[in-house]
Each structure stands twice: as structure tokens, then as C-alpha cells.
Amino acid sequence: MRTGRRRGGATLTTHIAPSSPEAPARFGFIVSKAVGDAVTRNLVKRRLRAIAATGIAAGFAGTEVVVRALPASASASYSTLQAELLGQLGVAEVL
């Protein structure tokens, strides 16, 4: 992640590193206990996975992405998480 770029927001911090251009994007998610109990953490992870799948389906490729959920993500809506993650990835215009 030292070679990539980092973008932060109110609910998420995203580390993006380039990989081979023809490879699909790979995502990793970090949701710590600071976000909430197990039910809340799993809800946030499921939402982030669904958003990442939307980005991949839209053609986002050639990168490795690590998404760290901040404690504010526990109370954020799906649309808020989606706008922030896709905005940080730079694919908000595609969708």
C-alpha cells in the first residue's frame, strides 16, 4: 500500500494500489470492533461487499483496494456508504 494512494472520508478510509490493468479489482475490508458488535460489523461488511461488486460490474479493474470502516460507518446508510466508497474510488461518474 506504500505505492498507492490513500483517501479518507467521514465513514471510510480507502487505500488504492495499481495492479495489472487486465486483472479485476481486488477488495479487502477492515471492520474493527470499534465499529460495533458482531452484528453491526457484519452488516457494514455486507454493504461494502455489495458496493464493491457494483463497482466491479461497472468495469472498475486493475487495482487492489483496502477499505477500512470507521466507527461512523455503523450508523451510516447504504446510500451514504455507496456514495463515499465509489467517490473515493473515482467510479461515481460511471454509475
Side-chain angles (χ1 to χ4, degrees), residues 10-88:
T11 59
L12 303 171
T13 300
T14 308
H15 297 269
I16 305 168
S19 64
S20 84
E22 62 276 351
R26 293 184 347 160
F27 284 82
F29 302 102
I30 301 170
V31 184
S32 73
K33 287 186 179 181
V35 173
D37 62 359
V39 173
T40 305
R41 291 192 310 268
N42 286 327
L43 174 68
V44 171
K45 280 189 278 189
R46 283 193 311 270
R47 287 178 175 176
L48 292 175
R49 281 189 204 119
I51 296 165
T54 303
I56 291 171
F60 187 69
T63 57
E64 294 180 349
V65 181
V66 175
V67 179
R68 180 175 187 84
L70 301 176
S73 65
S75 61
S77 67
Y78 180 86
S79 59
T80 303
L81 290 174
Q82 182 178 30
E84 187 163 347
L85 180 57
L86 294 179
Q88 289 178 6

